[in-house]
Amino acid sequence: MTRISVVTGASGGIGRAVARRLAARGDTVALLARGEAGLAGAAEDVRRAGGTALPIEVDMADHQAVEAAAERVEKELGPIGLWVNNAFATVFAPFMEIEMPEFVRTTEVSYLGYVYGTRAALSRMRTRDQGVIVQVGSALAYRGIPLQSAYCGAKHAIQGFTESLRVELLHDKSNVHVTMVQMPAVNTPQFGWVLSRLPRKAQPVPPIYQPEVAARAVEYAADHPKRREYWVGGSTVLTLLANAVAPGILDRYLARTGFKGQQTDERRPSDQPANLWSPEDEARGEDQGAHGAFDDRATSRSLQLWASQHHGLLGAAGGGLLAAGAAWAVSRR
């Protein structure tokens, strides 16, 4: 199924990979982000993949700008069928070292940006009674970790907001669907441009997945949006299950490992650019692409993701094994 799709935060990382994935299937893709160089690169990726691109510079923390972007998409391309909320900004630091304007800015982009995007999409989809909204989430929507209080707070907020909205849509028997995809650690450029007060360079907590894994999950969720959410990566599953069963033990484990695990052995450069207030590619004047600096440690496969997309096949296989086992037991008698 091809359609007109909108991807926020499309200039890099997961958003960039999602845009390419949707373009490869023939979607017309509107790319929303702040950075001019990244948007130009993303638009070229979409065209190279065979899709049509409409890059729009927009700050997702500005609800009027988001609404204007949605209006432009429908005017120039047609009815929006899919909206993927992905844009975010954050700070890596202990809570007491984050300035309040920085915390507010993180919340406005990483949480309210999803609210503004969802509202812009839903106000149009609801009148047509069709459409899909995918929220790119994280294991951190359920499990807070040290040094990312602003980001964890935003992801928790998105989770609660999305659950509330989903129930309202179910009540209305709407054919507009909203689903959420909880991501693991992903190799994106954010670790090289995040506003950080850590002594060493920030890193995703291993195991690390390539953004193409995340993009496949988003595409699948967009095509199967009636499931309330998807978990991507074995690490996400283990984290969420451990948090559900023994959150106190996980608190103590993260207190011991969470600080070191989110930093490399290299000192953080004092002049590292930060994209909290302005796009990072504006500072460097170059497109950063979808991948970060951890290609040598990242995997392009997720057995768990495949399993989550093939419940029926696995169930049938399991049932077949049980039947075969029962038949064997009877024959032995």
Side-chain angles (χ1 to χ4, degrees):
M1 178 191 302
T2 59
R3 55 193 149 193
I4 295 168
S5 300
V6 177
V7 181
T8 77
S11 58
I14 292 175
R16 183 76 168 261
V18 168
R20 285 202 299 248
R21 185 85 185 178
L22 297 177
R25 55 186 262 161
D27 281 19
T28 297
V29 187
L31 310 159
L32 274 57
R34 294 178 299 164
E36 183 178 349
L39 273 175
E44 180 58 30
D45 282 355
V46 167
R47 297 182 188 110
R48 192 180 298 117
T52 300
L54 175 63
I56 303 176
E57 288 187 49
V58 60
D59 186 338
M60 293 302 297
D62 182 342
H63 70 92
Q64 292 180 331
V66 174
E67 174 63 26
E71 186 67 23
R72 179 180 169 189
V73 171
E74 295 231 326
K75 181 178 180 180
E76 297 187 22
L77 301 178
I80 297 168
L82 169 64
W83 186 290
V84 179
N85 279 313
N86 165 75
F88 77 96
T90 190
V91 182
F92 274 61
F95 170 65
M96 290 304 293
E97 294 181 21
I98 302 174
E99 301 293 335
M100 281 299 95
E102 296 166 351
F103 205 103
V104 170
R105 173 65 178 169
T106 297
T107 304
E108 288 177 340
V109 176
S110 303
Y111 169 49
L112 290 180
Y114 277 53
V115 174
Y116 300 153
T118 300
R119 189 174 183 87
L122 186 58
S123 65
R124 291 162 173 80
M125 293 175 177
R126 189 172 59 173
T127 61
R128 299 185 288 265
D129 195 32
Q130 62 180 357
V132 175
I133 300 169
V134 177
Q135 316 285 38
V136 175
S138 167
L140 305 188
Y142 288 94
R143 174 66 246 184
I145 64 174
L147 306 178
Q148 295 200 54
S149 56
Y151 182 81
C152 290
K155 289 301 182 185
H156 275 66
I158 295 165
Q159 177 69 19
F161 160 67
T162 301
E163 287 177 348
S164 179
L165 174 59
R166 184 185 300 112
V167 173
E168 291 178 6
L169 292 172
L170 288 170
H171 172 269
D172 294 341
K173 296 180 172 55
S174 175
N175 287 314
V176 178
H177 301 286
V178 58
T179 187
M180 194 164 178
V181 184
Q182 313 298 10
M183 298 296 183
V186 180
N187 174 35
T188 69
Q190 65 142 321
F191 298 93
W193 69 38
V194 66
L195 174 57
S196 174
R197 295 198 174 89
L198 306 181
R200 300 188 300 279
K201 289 183 177 180
Q203 69 170 0
V205 179
I208 305 169
Y209 295 84
Q210 294 288 27
E212 287 75 19
V213 175
R216 292 198 298 272
V218 169
E219 180 191 30
Y220 189 85
D223 290 343
H224 305 82
K226 293 184 180 181
R227 192 191 301 184
R228 69 190 311 273
E229 66 179 26
Y230 292 84
W231 296 358
V232 181
S235 56
T236 297
V237 174
L238 290 175
T239 297
L240 300 189
L241 291 178
N243 190 61
V245 174
I249 293 176
L250 195 52
D251 286 346
R252 289 167 176 79
Y253 173 77
L254 289 168
R256 292 196 307 270
T257 65
F259 281 68
K260 183 178 180 180
Q262 295 184 78
Q263 300 178 74
T264 70
D265 294 330
E266 298 180 64
R267 297 290 299 180
R268 177 179 58 83
S270 58
D271 61 346
Q272 176 175 307
N275 77 332
L276 184 63
W277 302 105
S278 61
E280 190 277 342
D281 60 2
E282 183 178 283
R284 294 188 184 182
E286 59 184 23
D287 173 25
Q288 296 299 302
H291 286 217
F294 305 97
D295 278 334
D296 58 334
R297 298 166 55 193
T299 178
S300 298
R301 298 179 180 178
S302 170
L303 179 61
Q304 179 279 329
L305 175 60
W306 182 89
S308 73
Q309 296 173 353
H310 296 83
H311 285 166
L313 176 62
L314 292 174
L321 289 173
L322 286 174
W328 179 84
V330 168
S331 69
R332 294 290 292 177
R333 291 178 183 178

